[in-house]
Amino acid sequence: MTSDRDHRSALLSYATEVASADDVDEVFDAMADAAEAAFDFSSAVVEAEADGVLAVRSWSGRAPSVDGIPTDEGIAGETYHTGEAQIVADIREDPRVTDPPEGAPRSVVSVPIGDIGVFQAGMDEPDGFDADDVELAELLASHAYQAVQRIRSQRDLRESEARFRELFEQNDDALVLYDVTSDGDTEIRLVNDAAERAVGADETDLRGESLAACFDAHPEQFVPGNGAKTFETEFADDDRVFEVTVKQFLHQGGPDAFAVVDDVTEQRHREQTLTGLHDATRRMLVEDDPDDIAAVVAEAANDLLGLPYVGVFYAADDAEELRPATVSDPVTGETPPTFAAGESLAWDVYESGEPATFTDVHEQSNVHNPETVIREEIIHPLGDHGVLLIGAPEAGSFDGTDHDLVRVLATNAEAALDRAERVRQLRRREADLRREHSRLAALFENVPSPTASFVVEDDDPIVRAVNPAFEEVFGYSEEELVGENIDEYIIPADHHEEADEYNQKLVDGQNINVEVRRETADGPRDFLLDVVPFRLDEPNIHGYAMYTDITDRKEHERELERQNDRLEEFASIVSHDLRNPLNVARGYLELAEETGDDEYFQRMGESLDRMHEIIESVLALARHGRSLDDVRERSLSDAAADAWRNVDTADATLDVAGDRALRADVARFTSLLENLFRNAVEHGGEDVTVSVGPLDGDDGFYVEDDGCGIAAERREGVFEYGASGDDDGTGFGLAIVKSIADAHGWTVEVTDSSEGGARFEFRT
């Protein structure tokens, strides 16, 4: 039996109620009510559960007699499984229904509700449904399916937005969501707590404002592109520096973009300080006057490090007092003090040779001026030259970083003063030599230096006589040389043009005092050549050539140059290797402040200890060159683990493939591995895998990664100072590796790893 037109109209009305329901249970109840009101027959709505059964969710009329039907059994299971509607004329004659329960309907229409479940209606007499009933039931099921999908989509959207908001607010990065307006400006829609802290404003104050206006940046910089873009800018209301990364926000109906805002003011300040300190060191190392060096030290301490009271005091010649060389701001009066022996803290430090920090100078018995406004003071010796004083009017003004930077500055100043002293001594000796040779020019035979008398004939210097010293040094007797062109005997092949120039100057009556290289009986040697014409300032052809052997001095000068180069290397190493433990310590300090976990203080202490170790190593290098002070057995795996902890490795992985005991300077070997690990992360990516292990059949070891590798044409130069494959790199990392390897007597070779990355092989 079929429903009439009025019933169908009523069913369509109920279908509208089904489609507009706001809850899944309301949808199912509306379906059951519609079936009962429109047809006066019983119905049931069943929903597919996760465990593979059909569970009754709502019904009208008589309660259903079965529940928990498997999705592949019975009429409902078949309808759900096939997805097709069906009419059962008489369930008592249907083979799929065995032993129907008492009160069960005779005829049934079964319609799928998409993949949600099944809608069934029943009547007490057989053949109660026709095709029109199926069509209307399917319409009802279609409305129900769409309503359930809508409700679930809205629920998922709300849950997704709630999860997003929670993740957004809890993110440690400072995040800003914003729209790009039609006029090219930006409008803030949402900021998280970290962003509020970073910019110093509440979300309520920022929402709707221009993001570009908050920073000293053009709005175009905040327009996202295909990928992320990063730039630096200053905050509009102060001089803080921010690193901003802009990305598209790919979310329907959401903001156009989001920005990650990172306050890098302290980081940039540290970098600028280290760079300025390095430049100051270079300036000191080219100065020969101690007062000029003191001025550079005071400028660096005052301007670069922001230290208030700075003074450099040099020891008097009699070593009985310390006299001011430069003072940035005299503490009392207009004249800086002079510290007598034994009557000041400065003298105590100078005499002991050990740096000292006084947190309250008023409590010290040997304070020079008990009424001084200085409360805290760092005093660092400058070797035998004097002391560097750093003072502050309040206790607790200096932190660990200040102490480390003062130590580096003082160490470099001492090295510069040592160099200046050696230069002065060298120049004094050179001046003495020249004066001595000028006085002895006429004492030809008794001159201890090889001396020759000659005349210029046809532009050739012809020997007239040589003294015994000349015969001994150059290996030719006077009889062999007289009448001969002296240049053909003692001038190296590539120096003849130089010799012709000197001969012409002699003819012009000019004195010649130059450094030359000549062939002697013992091979090439360096000389200070004095050519004295017989008559000055007038044409003549007669002169004397006196050769003073300065081979040892020239070798000493070359050694000084090498030492100066090494001093510059030390300064560069300090600014390069201190950066990472400084950043690591800063990171752990921030984590400790945020979490209160003592573990981070311990890790921060490890980073500070590492900084101390680097500084002490550089000091040792400055005093002992390439000597190794702490050589002992060291496990490769232990050294790798220590170095890995000292480097910011992001998401990189360390793989120790075997172990080997090596004899090495512990601190310098750790520094070698740190620089290799840092190089791998910088060039191979934050998720690079670094492997360390022994070489097969050799006493050496290798360090390799799975990054981008080093091109063959670049490998020969990667160990040179200043060589870097990164525009932001310093170019010192691999040079330090090579220097440490050379100090140990190891050889190092660059090749490809098995994964195509870089592989460094060290053979001991």
Side-chain angles (χ1 to χ4, degrees):
M1 143 183 172
T2 62
S3 56
D4 57 22
R5 294 293 180 183
D6 291 337
H7 289 161
R8 290 181 182 138
S9 176
L11 185 61
L12 290 174
S13 176
Y14 277 106
T16 302
E17 293 184 15
V18 170
S20 61
D22 294 328
D23 181 83
V24 173
D25 289 335
E26 290 180 7
V27 172
F28 294 155
D29 290 343
M31 290 185 72
D33 292 344
E36 182 179 20
F39 296 111
D40 194 22
F41 51 62
S42 61
S43 65
V45 180
V46 293
E47 182 180 14
E49 300 285 353
D51 55 359
V53 298
L54 295 170
V56 176
R57 291 294 302 272
S58 183
W59 64 87
S60 67
R62 292 186 299 273
S65 56
V66 293
D67 196 2
I69 305 170
T71 55
D72 56 356
E73 294 182 10
I75 298 171
E78 183 177 297
T79 301
Y80 178 80
H81 186 67
T82 63
E84 296 180 357
Q86 58 179 311
I87 296 175
V88 180
D90 191 341
I91 64 172
R92 297 179 182 178
E93 297 178 1
D94 193 301
R96 293 170 297 180
V97 180
T98 60
D99 193 18
E102 184 179 353
R106 293 289 297 276
S107 59
V108 174
V109 61
S110 184
V111 180
I113 311 174
D115 59 356
I116 297 175
V118 176
F119 170 66
Q120 287 188 332
M123 298 187 69
D124 292 334
E125 58 272 2
D127 295 319
F129 298 99
D130 59 16
D132 289 339
D133 296 322
V134 173
E135 181 181 352
L136 292 174
E138 286 180 332
L139 177 62
L140 195 63
S142 174
H143 280 67
Y145 178 75
Q146 294 175 8
V148 171
Q149 292 296 93
R150 171 179 55 79
I151 293 169
R152 290 180 174 176
S153 296
Q154 291 173 345
R155 181 195 60 197
D156 292 343
L157 179 60
R158 289 193 298 271
E159 292 176 351
S160 175
E161 290 178 347
R163 288 195 300 272
F164 166 76
R165 182 70 191 214
E166 182 179 5
L167 291 173
F168 180 78
E169 289 297 341
Q170 293 181 355
N171 200 298
D172 292 334
D173 293 327
L175 303 177
V176 181
L177 294 175
Y178 61 94
D179 288 330
V180 178
T181 59
S182 58
D183 60 357
D185 202 350
T186 54
E187 181 179 338
I188 298 174
R189 288 184 56 179
L190 199 63
V191 299
N192 65 354
D193 292 342
E196 289 181 331
R197 293 191 297 270
V199 302
D202 294 335
E203 182 184 53
T204 54
D205 297 329
L206 294 171
R207 190 181 296 117
E209 296 295 324
S210 168
L211 178 59
C214 292
F215 297 92
D216 187 14
H218 194 278
E220 289 183 358
Q221 292 183 279
F222 291 94
V223 177
N226 293 330
K229 64 178 182 180
T230 301
F231 59 91
E232 281 193 5
T233 180
E234 292 186 355
F235 198 56
D237 296 335
D238 53 46
D239 58 356
R240 286 182 294 164
V241 179
F242 288 86
E243 183 179 80
V244 180
T245 299
V246 172
K247 296 181 181 179
Q248 285 183 318
F249 188 74
L250 302 177
H251 185 71
Q252 184 177 6
D256 296 329
F258 73 94
V260 182
V261 181
D262 186 14
D263 188 342
V264 295
T265 306
E266 289 298 324
Q267 178 182 344
R268 295 297 176 265
H269 175 70
R270 288 195 298 270
E271 291 174 355
Q272 292 172 1
T273 298
L274 290 173
T275 300
L277 189 59
H278 178 61
D279 291 341
T281 300
R282 289 182 178 275
R283 290 166 54 198
M284 284 189 285
L285 291 173
V286 298
E287 296 289 353
D288 297 335
D289 189 328
D291 288 341
D292 293 337
I293 295 174
V296 174
V297 172
E299 178 186 347
N302 192 261
D303 296 343
L304 296 177
L305 308 182
L307 303 175
Y309 295 98
V310 181
V312 177
F313 293 79
Y314 289 146
D317 293 337
D318 57 4
E320 290 300 323
E321 62 183 12
L322 294 171
R323 299 172 181 171
T326 185
V327 176
S328 64
D329 186 5
V331 177
T332 57
E334 298 180 356
T335 303
T338 296
F339 300 124
E343 298 181 2
S344 65
L345 300 176
W347 184 268
D348 294 343
V349 171
Y350 171 72
E351 192 171 47
S352 68
E354 295 295 330
T357 300
F358 305 97
T359 55
D360 192 343
V361 298
H362 291 174
E363 297 179 355
Q364 305 300 318
S365 59
N366 203 25
V367 62
H368 174 75
N369 176 15
E371 304 300 324
T372 179
V373 299
I374 297 297
R375 292 296 302 273
E376 184 173 10
E377 194 169 49
I378 303 174
I379 306 179
H380 206 293
L382 302 175
D384 296 332
H385 307 285
V387 295
L388 168 63
L389 276 72
I390 309 294
E394 296 180 1
S397 298
F398 304 125
D399 58 19
T401 300
D402 292 328
H403 284 82
D404 292 331
L405 292 176
V406 169
R407 176 178 293 187
V408 172
L409 182 63
T411 300
N412 292 340
E414 180 182 348
L417 290 168
D418 288 342
R419 173 196 167 278
E421 178 62 26
R422 290 193 294 269
V423 170
R424 288 196 301 274
Q425 293 176 357
L426 183 62
R427 288 177 177 173
R428 284 196 295 268
R429 289 198 298 268
E430 191 172 300
D432 291 344
L433 281 174
R434 288 175 177 166
R435 285 194 298 271
E436 184 68 18
H437 289 140
S438 296
R439 288 195 300 268
L440 297 177
L443 304 177
F444 179 77
E445 287 296 328
N446 297 318
V447 169
S449 299
T451 307
S453 173
F454 63 94
V455 294
V456 178
E457 297 177 359
D458 299 327
D459 297 330
D460 294 330
I462 305 302
V463 176
R464 295 183 61 180
V466 298
N467 69 350
F470 191 100
E471 293 177 321
E472 179 180 357
V473 170
F474 290 98
Y476 301 104
S477 66
E478 188 175 56
E479 289 77 16
E480 292 178 275
L481 294 175
V482 170
E484 299 292 328
N485 181 346
I486 190 173
D487 290 351
E488 296 179 355
Y489 288 82
I490 65 174
I491 302 293
D494 56 346
H495 285 64
H496 279 283
E497 290 185 5
E498 167 192 282
D500 292 340
E501 177 186 349
Y502 300 156
N503 293 334
Q504 184 58 49
K505 287 185 176 181
L506 171 71
V507 173
D508 295 338
Q510 299 179 29
N511 259 331
I512 299 170
N513 183 266
V514 294
E515 294 177 357
V516 297
R517 195 162 183 81
R518 294 292 183 260
E519 294 287 349
T520 71
D522 297 326
R525 295 186 69 81
D526 296 308
F527 293 93
L528 181 66
L529 170 62
D530 285 284
V531 178
V532 182
F534 189 76
R535 292 183 299 274
L536 288 173
D537 301 325
E538 60 179 292
N540 69 112
I541 60 171
H542 186 198
Y544 297 91
M546 291 169 287
Y547 293 87
T548 302
D549 194 336
I550 59 171
T551 303
D552 293 340
R553 179 174 67 81
K554 292 294 291 183
E555 182 58 32
H556 183 59
E557 288 179 356
R558 287 188 282 269
E559 177 59 25
L560 284 177
E561 292 177 359
R562 288 191 292 269
Q563 291 179 5
N564 291 340
D565 291 340
R566 191 157 59 244
L567 287 173
E568 290 194 15
E569 293 176 11
F570 295 155
S572 300
I573 290 170
V574 169
S575 66
H576 181 270
D577 278 10
L578 274 180
R579 183 187 309 155
N580 189 71
L582 276 172
N583 290 339
V584 172
R586 179 63 179 172
Y588 284 140
L589 177 58
E590 292 176 354
L591 288 173
E593 290 175 345
E594 293 175 3
T595 65
D597 194 336
D598 290 343
E599 176 187 357
Y600 295 115
F601 289 107
Q602 179 181 353
R603 295 182 179 177
M604 184 173 62
E606 293 174 356
S607 293
L608 294 175
D609 290 341
R610 178 57 188 155
M611 290 165 54
H612 174 79
E613 184 179 5
I614 291 173
I615 293 171
E616 292 300 323
S617 298
V618 172
L619 290 174
L621 285 173
R623 296 189 179 102
H624 305 299
R626 294 182 177 273
S627 63
L628 304 175
D629 297 326
D630 185 24
V631 177
R632 48 191 166 94
E633 290 286 332
R634 180 64 165 158
S635 165
L636 177 61
S637 61
D638 290 344
D642 289 346
W644 191 259
R645 284 193 296 269
N646 293 332
V647 175
D648 185 3
T649 55
D651 295 327
T653 303
L654 175 65
D655 176 26
V656 179
D659 203 0
R660 169 164 289 159
L662 300 166
R663 285 193 59 77
D665 183 294
V666 174
R668 299 187 71 188
F669 184 30
T670 303
S671 180
L672 179 147
L673 294 175
E674 288 173 1
N675 279 280
L676 288 174
F677 294 162
R678 188 179 301 111
N679 188 72
V681 173
E682 289 176 353
H683 298 286
E686 295 183 349
D687 59 348
V688 69
T689 296
V690 182
S691 299
V692 179
L695 292 175
D696 294 336
D698 201 328
D699 291 333
F701 62 97
Y702 69 87
V703 178
E704 66 177 16
D705 60 63
D706 60 355
C708 57
I710 300 175
E713 64 271 17
R714 290 188 57 245
R715 293 174 186 170
E716 185 174 348
V718 295
F719 294 111
E720 296 176 2
Y721 280 90
S724 175
D726 189 340
D727 292 340
D728 295 331
T730 62
F732 285 96
L734 293 182
I736 295 171
V737 170
K738 182 65 163 58
S739 174
I740 296 173
D742 290 344
H744 286 83
W746 301 343
T747 62
V748 57
E749 181 181 0
V750 185
T751 183
D752 291 328
S753 70
S754 58
E755 299 296 330
R759 178 181 172 96
F760 297 83
E761 295 183 351
F762 297 83
R763 289 178 170 79
T764 60

